[in-house]
Amino acid sequence: MIQQRVAAWQSRDWHAELAAAVKDPHELAALLDLPVAALGIAEAANTQFPLRVPRPYIARMRRGDPRDPLLLQVLPTHAEMIATPGYGADPLAEHAANPVPGLIHKYFGRVLLILSPACAIHCRYCFRRHFDYAGNTPGRARWQEVLDYIRRDDSITEVIYSGGDPLAAGDSLLAWLTEQLAAIPHLTRLRVHTRLPVVIPARIDAECLAWLAGTRLQTSLVLHVNHANELDADVAAAVGLLRAAGITVLNQSVLLAGVNDCAERLTQLSEQLFSAGILPYYLHLLDRVQGAAHFAVDQARAITLHRAMLARLPGYLVPRLVEEVPALPYKRPIN
Ligand SMILES: *Cc1c(COP(=O)(O)O)cnc(C)c1O
Ligand code: SF4
């Protein structure tokens, strides 16, 4: 089954699928059998953070439904342009934890590397929508500074590839960097935070698996799926390849009004994740980033939803409900 799916995407090139992502609202509307006016796209929002959605992801949206939970995650709307008090451009104060360009060191033992400014998909609620990527994506020479920082601090045991989306970077950079990191004795773990295998499963190809599975570092991959409809047979096949290579596959979701703020949907998401070989890890409260306030679910409601999950699911399928708080050395558990 996996082999068949995978054989089908050997003929597909992820670079081409990335380049073919839909950026034109009219094209998106046509693909969904909707009049463009039904999408309610705001030009100002589209200019600030442009529409971008890969075709394999569009294929999982319901035709003719302007409230489709996958569509809502990518549509630039008027609501984004409403300034909301308490929402900022750098809600996590990552600026303060950015000692070297390209590296964020906020939590004990773990550093996050900004591998690529780009993402395959533009998620409207993303806390990185205002991030200074231009000043934070090192060229290969600048990576030496990052590597030196990690070499100097032997309390660091885990490196997290992040972005943007780290898998939007090419495999030659990823393979080179992974090799450099594996040569640092105090590092034991490598983690990749990515949404790319969800939106373009063909990204998990032989070149990618070569460095991911070939390193001495113990490797995990944390996907980002918010709704069960985001999972299909191709995503499951990509995850199957990762697992066959000995990689632990986890998921983090964001609690989003109108998308997944429903006990039924969250329960179904956990069950479908597990069917696809993925363990739920975190369920995040929305980061208070300017332009995303209309996705917010208040804390009391989040706790109610989380308790409903606890009451219905085995413990290992209940993600940790957390909130990111600047200055705290971990993600704050809620409930
Ligand atoms: C979330 C995050 C991590 C990883 O935290 P875990 O609890 O280990 O998943 C590391 N660094 C930063 C800056 C983060 O936001
Ligand atoms: S960083 Fe993740 S959440 Fe943000 S736009 Fe990229 S894929 Fe979406």
Side-chain angles (χ1 to χ4, degrees):
M1 178 63 191
I2 287 181
Q3 291 316 325
Q4 269 169 12
R5 286 274 157 193
V6 172
W9 77 51
Q10 309 284 269
S11 61
R12 284 154 46 179
D13 169 20
W14 69 269
H15 292 97
E17 292 198 23
L18 190 62
V22 172
K23 301 171 187 100
D24 175 3
H26 291 90
E27 189 178 5
L28 180 61
L31 287 166
L32 295 175
D33 297 328
L34 282 165
V36 73
L39 299 181
I41 287 179
E43 209 31 62
N46 196 33
T47 303
Q48 189 188 83
F49 190 48
L51 174 77
R52 186 182 176 107
V53 48
R55 287 166 205 270
Y57 192 77
I58 296 173
R60 300 171 212 152
M61 295 177 182
R62 286 191 294 259
R63 300 290 169 273
D65 181 2
R67 306 299 299 164
D68 176 82
L70 278 53
L71 177 61
L72 292 180
Q73 295 181 54
V74 302
L75 270 188
T77 60
H78 294 284
E80 292 178 23
M81 303 317 289
I82 301 167
T84 315
Y87 284 67
D90 180 19
L92 309 183
E94 288 197 328
H95 211 72
N98 194 192
V100 184
L103 179 145
I104 297 171
H105 192 181
K106 194 171 157 191
Y107 297 155
F108 183 85
R110 290 148 290 171
V111 293
L112 201 141
L113 306 189
I114 310 285
L115 260 292
S116 160
C119 285
I121 183 168
H122 285 175
C123 314
R124 309 316 301 178
Y125 44 83
C126 182
F127 75 95
R128 294 193 195 280
R129 60 184 288 164
H130 307 283
F131 193 75
D132 172 23
Y133 285 114
N136 255 302
T137 331
R140 226 175 253 210
R142 299 296 296 278
W143 281 116
Q144 288 303 342
E145 250 183 282
V146 167
L147 290 164
D148 286 341
Y149 180 91
I150 298 169
R151 283 186 195 110
R152 275 197 305 270
D153 183 349
D154 65 9
S155 75
I156 301 170
T157 51
E158 179 168 5
V159 169
I160 302 172
Y161 288 174
S162 182
D165 197 309
L167 293 187
D171 288 313
S172 70
L173 172 67
L174 289 159
W176 173 80
L177 193 61
T178 304
E179 198 183 310
Q180 299 296 308
L181 291 170
I184 302 175
H186 51 264
L187 288 183
T188 56
R189 291 182 303 276
L190 172 69
R191 194 188 329 174
V192 183
H193 280 184
T194 176
R195 189 150 159 76
L196 239 156
V198 178
V199 300
I200 303 179
R203 178 65 184 92
I204 305 302
D205 59 8
E207 287 76 24
C208 182
L209 285 165
W211 60 266
L212 259 179
T215 178
R216 75 159 178 93
L217 300 168
Q218 215 184 347
T219 303
S220 61
L221 195 127
V222 183
L223 295 172
H224 172 184
V225 178
N226 299 314
H227 191 286
N229 292 1
E230 291 175 52
L231 299 166
D232 69 1
D234 284 336
V235 177
V239 172
L241 287 175
L242 293 162
R243 280 163 45 98
I247 295 157
T248 302
V249 185
L250 305 168
N251 183 62
Q252 49 185 345
S253 307
V254 184
L255 192 54
L256 298 167
V259 173
N260 61 9
D261 58 335
C262 155
E264 206 65 56
R265 283 189 182 179
L266 289 169
T267 303
Q268 197 188 18
L269 172 60
S270 276
E271 283 170 343
Q272 298 291 321
L273 284 168
F274 192 64
S275 310
I278 309 162
L279 280 170
Y281 180 30
Y282 280 135
L283 176 61
H284 294 265
L285 286 193
L286 184 80
D287 295 314
R288 291 190 186 85
V289 60
Q290 198 58 256
H294 54 293
F295 283 114
V297 175
D298 69 49
Q299 186 163 316
R301 170 110 183 103
I303 290 173
T304 303
L305 290 168
H306 194 240
R307 294 208 173 134
M309 294 179 87
L310 286 166
R312 286 180 205 195
L313 288 164
Y316 63 91
L317 292 187
V318 182
R320 272 153 261 193
L321 179 65
V322 293
E323 172 178 44
E324 240 174 284
V325 183
L328 204 68
Y330 47 85
K331 298 185 205 301
R332 187 170 69 166
I334 295 163
N335 201 10

